[in-house]
């Protein structure tokens, strides 16, 4: 069992990482909790619902379900309202606790519900996708989409605990694993050269969900993200480096239409493009660009970007929220293990597109 402590102005809490952790969830329920709202979706409920309900029953608290429709398209105000409806009907007071069992969509909505129900109640994250385990469940960003923009309505709100069961990854499709691994190797690229080397050496073990390798990858990712978030909870500076690969990646997602590529697949490809741009403007050695390309491919993500048309690439990257006053701000890596944020000349970006677009 591994425990990583997250320490932010918004709260201190443990991330516990262990196979079979689902069966010990009662330990994460605060002693003074009055009720437990288990927020999940039918896909996850069908596989893990009974086990989780049984584990939570051991807390001795009344547990009720809030079933949300499955999918990013339901990360909406209406879905959020389903949680409030159920909690009010169950007469939940301020000492009720929300348990978010699911991927990033479930965690983001349930976290925002916890941030706003009666001005804030406690919640426990039980992330079940690799992306949620290494990224979205750590750091306290919660929220929903608006028809005019993704993640536009939300709050910074930290959980009281994050409970990671590494066994649940076995029921995830291989594409979801690869997508999560792109975010894992991203942490090595921005902060930890040795971890990047380790990801290169263990790419196959990770894709095969080898327990020891996966446990370490999740722990190290959580440690690195927790460190960044502890320095900059509200993304006023340092936290921006977590967006390495995301300016290109978001353009791919939006350009192809959301859902065509998984977010992490687009980020994987974006990491290669950011490495190419880092070679252009920050002197990252070409050999290191090739290492990035190879590790992203080895983890099962695409390394060739789709042909969106040059102008459209630029337009899409300028809408990305990191574009300040028309200039595109990129996260770049002058060397593996270190990140900076910079604007880059359009010519350099064109050169990258010519080398990375299929
Ligand atoms: P997701 O929550 O939609 O899950 C992907 C699919 O896998 C869903 O159909 C889900 O029901 C299913 N699933 C989940 N766990 C499973 C399991 N163990 N076995 C089988 N199926 C399972 O997607 P995601 O990739 O986890 O999260 C994406 C969301 O996370 C986006 O909305 C994004 O904005 C958000 N996000 C938030 C942050 C943050 O800091 N809060 C960071 C990154 C991403
Ligand atoms: Zn991401």
């Amino acid at each position: 069992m591994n425990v990583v402590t997250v320490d932010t102005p918004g709260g201190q809490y443990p991330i516990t990482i262990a196979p079979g952790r689902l069966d010990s969830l009662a330990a994460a329920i605060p002693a003074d909790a009055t009720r437990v709202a288990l927020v999940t979706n039918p896909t996850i409920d069908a596989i893990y619902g009974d086990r989780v309900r049984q584990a939570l029953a051991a807390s001795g608290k009344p547990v009720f379900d809030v079933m949300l429709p499955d999918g990013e398209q339901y990360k909406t105000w209406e879905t959020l309202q389903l949680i409030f409806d159920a909690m009010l009907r169950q007469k939940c007071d301020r000492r009720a606790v929300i348990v978010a069992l699911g991927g990033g969509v479930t965690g983001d909505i349930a976290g925002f519900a916890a941030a706003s129900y009666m001005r804030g109640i406690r919640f426990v994250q039980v992330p079940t996708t690799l992306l949620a385990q290494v990224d979205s469940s750590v750091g306290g960003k919660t929220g929903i989409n608006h028809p005019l923009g993704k993640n536009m309505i939300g709050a910074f709100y930290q959980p009281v605990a994050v409970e990671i069961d590494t066994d649940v990854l076995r029921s995830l499709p291989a594409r979801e694993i690869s997508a999560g691994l792109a975010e894992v190797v991203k942490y090595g690229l921005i902060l930890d050269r040795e971890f990047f080397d380790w990801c290169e050496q263990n790419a196959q073990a990770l894709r095969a969900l080898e327990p020891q390798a996966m446990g370490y990858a999740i722990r190290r990712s959580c440690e690195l993200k927790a460190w960044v978030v502890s320095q900059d909870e509200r993304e006023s500076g340092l936290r921006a480096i977590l967006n390495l690969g995301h300016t290109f990646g978001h353009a791919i997602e939006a350009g192809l239409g959301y859902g065509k590529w998984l977010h992490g697949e687009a980020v994987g490809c974006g990491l290669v493009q950011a490495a190419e741009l880092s070679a252009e403007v920050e002197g990252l050695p070409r050999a290191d660009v090739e290492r990035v390309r190879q590790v992203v491919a080895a983890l099962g993500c695409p390394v060739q970007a789709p042909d969106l048309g040059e102008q459209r690439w630029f337009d899409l990257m300028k809408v990305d929220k990191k574009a300040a006053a028309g200039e595109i701000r990129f996260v770049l890596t002058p060397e593996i293990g270190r990140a900076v944020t910079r604007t880059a000349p359009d010519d350099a970006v064109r050169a990258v597109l010519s080398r990375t677009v299929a």
Side-chain angles (χ1 to χ4, degrees), residues 41-44 47-48 70-72 75 102-108 125 127-132 135-143 145 150-151 167-173 176 183 225 239 246 262-263:
N41 73 37
T43 312
I44 298 153
I47 316 174
Y48 302 108
D70 185 3
E72 178 76 32
K75 195 173 154 183
V105 170
T106 307
D108 280 14
Q125 288 271 25
T128 60
T129 63
L130 182 57
L131 178 122
D135 189 358
S136 65
S137 70
V138 183
K141 281 194 189 177
T142 71
N145 300 328
K150 280 191 75 178
N151 296 323
D167 286 343
V168 303
L169 300 177
R170 299 193 177 284
S171 55
L172 266 190
E176 299 272 356
E183 303 277 5
K225 181 157 185 188
R239 193 166 174 163
H246 283 62
L262 296 174
H263 170 75

Side-chain angles (χ1 to χ4, degrees), residues 276-277 279-280 286 293 304 350-357:
E276 288 278 3
L277 188 57
E280 287 286 327
R286 292 241 39 111
R293 195 184 310 277
Q304 282 217 308
R350 268 189 214 103
V352 168
L353 291 176
S354 74
R355 270 206 296 279
T356 54
V357 168

Side-chain angles (χ1 to χ4, degrees), residues 70-89:
D70 185 3
E72 178 76 32
Q73 70 273 33
Y74 298 111
K75 195 173 154 183
T76 60
W77 196 255
E78 289 72 28
T79 305
L80 180 68
Q81 195 70 283
L82 294 177
I83 305 179
F84 298 142
D85 291 348
M87 296 191 73
L88 287 165
R89 251 187 274 114

Side-chain angles (χ1 to χ4, degrees), residues 91-298:
K91 303 200 173 3
C92 287
D93 64 9
R94 285 218 171 97
R95 286 185 296 151
V97 173
I98 290 179
V99 173
L101 174 70
V105 170
T106 307
D108 280 14
I109 307 177
F112 187 40
S116 39
Y117 186 78
M118 296 193 170
R119 300 190 182 80
I121 61 170
R122 292 164 296 185
F123 88 113
V124 176
Q125 288 271 25
V126 188
T128 60
T129 63
L130 182 57
L131 178 122
Q133 296 185 346
V134 298
D135 189 358
S136 65
S137 70
V138 183
K141 281 194 189 177
T142 71
I144 56 174
N145 300 328
H146 184 278
L148 296 180
K150 280 191 75 178
N151 296 323
M152 285 296 149
I153 315 294
F156 287 99
Y157 194 69
Q158 306 290 345
V160 292
V162 181
E163 298 288 332
I164 298 180
D165 185 335
T166 47
D167 286 343
V168 303
L169 300 177
R170 299 193 177 284
S171 55
L172 266 190
R175 264 183 82 185
E176 299 272 356
I177 298 293
S178 290
L181 290 173
E183 303 277 5
V184 168
V185 76
K186 176 193 78 179
Y187 293 114
L189 267 166
I190 58 177
L191 289 164
D192 185 344
R193 176 183 263 277
E194 273 177 36
F195 183 50
F196 178 88
D197 298 347
W198 181 90
C199 289
E200 272 182 327
Q201 284 147 23
N202 290 275
Q204 291 319 315
L206 290 169
R207 282 180 84 180
L209 302 180
E210 198 273 293
Q212 205 108 43
M214 198 48 109
Y216 177 69
I218 294 169
R219 187 188 95 200
R220 190 70 192 130
S221 298
C222 289
E223 280 170 355
L224 291 166
K225 181 157 185 188
W227 180 78
V228 171
V229 169
S230 72
Q231 305 294 305
D232 178 20
E233 186 185 24
R234 289 173 179 248
E235 196 161 348
S236 48
L238 178 72
R239 193 166 174 163
I241 66 171
L242 297 172
N243 292 323
L244 180 72
H246 283 62
T247 303
F248 289 105
H250 285 151
I252 295 172
E253 288 185 274
L256 292 176
Y258 284 96
K260 205 87 189 270
W261 284 23
L262 296 174
H263 170 75
E265 292 174 325
V267 168
C269 185
L271 293 176
V272 177
Q273 294 179 288
E276 288 278 3
L277 188 57
S278 301
E280 287 286 327
V281 300
E282 286 293 327
L284 179 71
R286 292 241 39 111
D288 286 344
V289 179
E290 289 319 310
R291 285 178 70 190
V292 174
R293 195 184 310 277
Q294 276 175 20
V295 73
V296 168

